[in-house]
Amino acid sequence: MAVTKQRRQRNPDEFPTVQLFILAIVRLAEPIALTSIFPYAWAFIKRLKIGDEEDASFYAGLLISSFSLAEALMGMYWGGLSDRVGRKPVLLLGCVGTMFSMVTVGFASNIWIALLGRVAGGLLNGNIAVIQTMVGELVTKPEHEPKAYSIMPFVWSIGTIIGPAIGGTFADPHDTFPHLFPTGSLFERFPYLLPNLICAGMLLVSILLGYFLLEETHPDMQPRVALPDDTFLSENTPLIETSDAMKRPAVDLRDENYGTMRSRGKAAKSLEKHVTYSVFSKKIMAVVLALSIFTYHSMTYDHLLPIFFEDDRVPSPSSLDRIGPLSPLYSPGGLGFSLQAVGMIMAVQGVIALFMQAVVFPIMAERIGVYRLFIFVTVLQPIAYMIVPSLLYVPEGLLYPAIYFCLTVRNFFSILVYPLLLILIKEATPSLSILGKVNGLAASAGAACRMVAPPIAGYLYAMGKRADCTGIAWYGSAFVAVLGAVQCFSVKRDRVRETGGEEGLRKQPADEITIFVDEVEENTAA
């Protein structure tokens, strides 16, 4: 029969630098597109004149969270579909869906069209799960995982810096650049079209790069081409060539059926065909729950931080009847910063996050180990929330250093724990054949938590503001982080051995694989 070989010549033992770089470029456009709406969402809603002006923040939050809601509903479906049709088509479809969403929002003349665009983008987008799966399939050596799994969060952080900058700079260009966009132009009629078109153009570039340069990583769907006509391999190829081996056509030594491991490879494949794996196993659900808890309290931090910075500062009263000004239960208002000051602080936070992802995480993961580092940073997560309200009592001259200290503590814990969770999800998956579905489940759970976190945190902040205790919102997030610190110990790591990821059983308990393979070999011999 005809023999085939992999089109790609990449050594699986080497770090997949080129493919991860291309995947990162494809990934970069998405966070830029999704976060570009943040600066102008409130102004956009006010322009549409939906209800009372005081309700604009509610409708703006609804517009932003609608994408996460739709993504939560479809994340597991897209992950499962990528297991059947391949990662690459689902990834490219997600980019197309996001591009469609951007253009629709840009041309929206009422809230319903804008919501339709955001919801459609979320329904068509399963890229979080698919990209995590592709990273897991590109990286076959455990020592490469910490470095590889830190790349996509790093790219996401870059995108969340660039995206709001595009949205804030190019929204309403007729007002900002009247000489370039005069009265009566398309961009005067649709003032938020330009930033959306810029992001859609970046997504188009990502789609083209992904289509032509990105490899399909699904183990059973990678492209193959025929070998030369004089290359032949039979199902009856012996393990050791006989004395007349030179008379036989050459065999492809790269083929998985050649050599002394042939029977074990067939045994592993036979095992894969006869075993049904559950996505909802205890091991998988423990990691997904840990990811969900982290996603929730991390999203509350991102939502509360600019509100706390921009909220009016309440001067300390000369006398307090019940609670002293140094009590953690007395935390009125916020820090009273301007939008420009908040923008500068958020930019510095992005730099801190990039440093944590690029430098700190790989070093600590290598020296401490994935599981021990996961337990360490998860247990200490509540600290990041407990220290924020104390900023109200820091002297003016030390306020900015104190803020950057708080941001450093927060990013140290949050930036480190996310790629660790991705690694643990991959390790908890019993077979690469369901890795896409597992990542889809994790993505759906995370999107659901991102959807509910802002309104809950916002409600707690509003309630605390009326009681002169805005810190209650931060303490509520700390409480959820404490629950995560307790739950993290339910995440277990079995003692496993590598069994050949290309055969679909990358990590399995060694005893189970050995027993099954021995049984198959005995039956074959009989």
Side-chain angles (χ1 to χ4, degrees), residues 68-180:
S68 295
L69 171 62
E71 190 178 32
L73 295 175
M74 294 295 291
M76 191 171 177
Y77 169 78
W78 291 120
L81 183 64
S82 74
D83 287 332
R84 300 191 298 272
V85 304
R87 319 299 183 199
K88 187 172 175 178
V90 177
L91 176 64
L92 297 180
L93 178 62
C95 292
V96 171
T98 305
M99 184 171 66
F100 170 79
S101 171
M102 302 301 299
V103 175
T104 303
V105 172
F107 279 106
S109 57
N110 58 64
I111 184 64
W112 301 112
I113 296 178
L115 281 174
L116 173 65
R118 295 286 290 180
V119 170
L123 290 175
L124 294 173
N125 192 302
N127 285 4
I128 294 178
V130 174
I131 287 176
Q132 291 173 5
T133 305
M134 294 182 76
V135 173
E137 290 169 339
L138 283 169
V139 180
T140 58
K141 297 179 73 66
E143 56 266 32
H144 291 160
E145 288 178 345
K147 181 180 178 182
Y149 276 101
S150 66
I151 292 176
M152 295 309 150
F154 180 83
V155 170
W156 181 270
S157 295
I158 295 176
T160 55
I161 295 172
I162 300 175
I166 292 176
T169 302
F170 297 103
D172 199 359
H174 169 67
D175 184 62
T176 309
F177 312 104
H179 57 291
L180 295 177

Side-chain angles (χ1 to χ4, degrees), residues 375-386:
I375 297 295
F376 173 74
V377 295
T378 304
V379 168
L380 297 180
Q381 283 275 350
I383 296 175
Y385 302 92
M386 296 295 294

Side-chain angles (χ1 to χ4, degrees), residues 45-380:
I45 294 297
K46 289 177 65 178
R47 188 182 185 92
L48 296 177
K49 298 179 181 180
I50 308 297
D52 296 332
E53 187 170 314
E54 291 78 10
D55 298 329
S57 59
F58 168 76
Y59 289 106
L62 180 64
L63 181 64
I64 292 173
S65 63
S66 59
F67 185 96
S68 295
L69 171 62
E71 190 178 32
L73 295 175
M74 294 295 291
M76 191 171 177
Y77 169 78
W78 291 120
L81 183 64
S82 74
D83 287 332
R84 300 191 298 272
V85 304
R87 319 299 183 199
K88 187 172 175 178
V90 177
L91 176 64
L92 297 180
L93 178 62
C95 292
V96 171
T98 305
M99 184 171 66
F100 170 79
S101 171
M102 302 301 299
V103 175
T104 303
V105 172
F107 279 106
S109 57
N110 58 64
I111 184 64
W112 301 112
I113 296 178
L115 281 174
L116 173 65
R118 295 286 290 180
V119 170
L123 290 175
L124 294 173
N125 192 302
N127 285 4
I128 294 178
V130 174
I131 287 176
Q132 291 173 5
T133 305
M134 294 182 76
V135 173
E137 290 169 339
L138 283 169
V139 180
T140 58
K141 297 179 73 66
E143 56 266 32
H144 291 160
E145 288 178 345
K147 181 180 178 182
Y149 276 101
S150 66
I151 292 176
M152 295 309 150
F154 180 83
V155 170
W156 181 270
S157 295
I158 295 176
T160 55
I161 295 172
I162 300 175
I166 292 176
T169 302
F170 297 103
D172 199 359
H174 169 67
D175 184 62
T176 309
F177 312 104
H179 57 291
L180 295 177
F181 304 95
T183 302
S185 66
L186 178 66
F187 297 102
E188 184 197 15
R189 293 173 52 206
F190 302 101
Y192 307 106
L193 175 61
L194 183 58
N196 284 281
L197 287 181
I198 293 173
C199 293
M202 298 178 70
L203 283 162
L204 180 60
V205 173
S206 292
I207 293 169
L208 294 176
L209 286 175
Y211 181 80
F212 289 107
L213 300 179
L214 194 63
E215 294 178 1
E216 172 60 65
T217 63
H218 194 295
D220 298 330
M221 301 177 187
Q222 295 171 6
R224 296 172 178 265
V225 294
L227 285 174
D229 294 336
D230 60 349
T231 304
F232 178 81
L233 179 64
S234 168
E235 290 292 335
N236 298 321
T237 301
L239 298 182
I240 302 177
E241 288 288 355
T242 57
S243 58
D244 64 340
M246 297 302 295
K247 300 176 183 178
R248 300 168 58 90
V251 296
D252 182 17
L253 298 179
R254 296 164 295 183
D255 192 277
E256 61 185 3
N257 291 326
Y258 182 79
T260 58
M261 295 302 295
R262 180 171 177 263
S263 62
R264 290 186 179 269
K266 291 176 67 177
K269 286 185 177 181
S270 178
L271 173 63
E272 183 73 9
K273 291 179 181 178
H274 291 85
V275 175
T276 301
Y277 298 100
S278 173
V279 176
F280 301 99
S281 66
K282 274 187 178 181
K283 191 190 303 184
I284 293 174
M285 292 308 298
V287 187
V288 171
L289 180 57
L291 176 66
S292 301
I293 294 174
F294 164 73
T295 302
Y296 174 87
H297 63 70
S298 179
M299 187 66 185
T300 63
Y301 195 104
D302 294 334
H303 180 67
L304 289 172
L305 195 64
I307 297 176
F308 179 67
F309 283 164
E310 296 173 22
D311 197 7
D312 294 335
R313 185 155 197 161
V314 178
S316 299
S318 57
S319 63
L320 296 168
D321 296 332
R322 295 174 297 170
I323 305 175
L326 296 181
S327 169
L329 297 180
Y330 181 74
S331 50
L335 298 179
F337 288 157
S338 66
L339 287 173
Q340 291 76 16
V342 173
M344 182 191 69
I345 294 172
M346 301 302 286
V348 174
Q349 178 184 228
V351 174
I352 295 173
L354 294 179
F355 177 78
M356 293 295 177
Q357 289 168 340
V359 179
V360 178
F361 172 73
I363 294 175
M364 294 200 67
E366 180 180 356
R367 294 187 178 181
I368 299 178
V370 170
Y371 185 71
R372 283 182 293 179
L373 183 59
F374 164 70
I375 297 295
F376 173 74
V377 295
T378 304
V379 168
L380 297 180

Side-chain angles (χ1 to χ4, degrees), residues 492-512:
K492 304 295 183 183
R493 295 184 87 192
D494 289 339
R495 190 171 183 176
V496 297
R497 72 171 186 176
E498 300 298 325
T499 59
E502 292 297 323
E503 295 163 357
L505 293 172
R506 188 175 183 277
K507 288 185 174 71
Q508 284 292 317
D511 293 341
E512 295 180 12

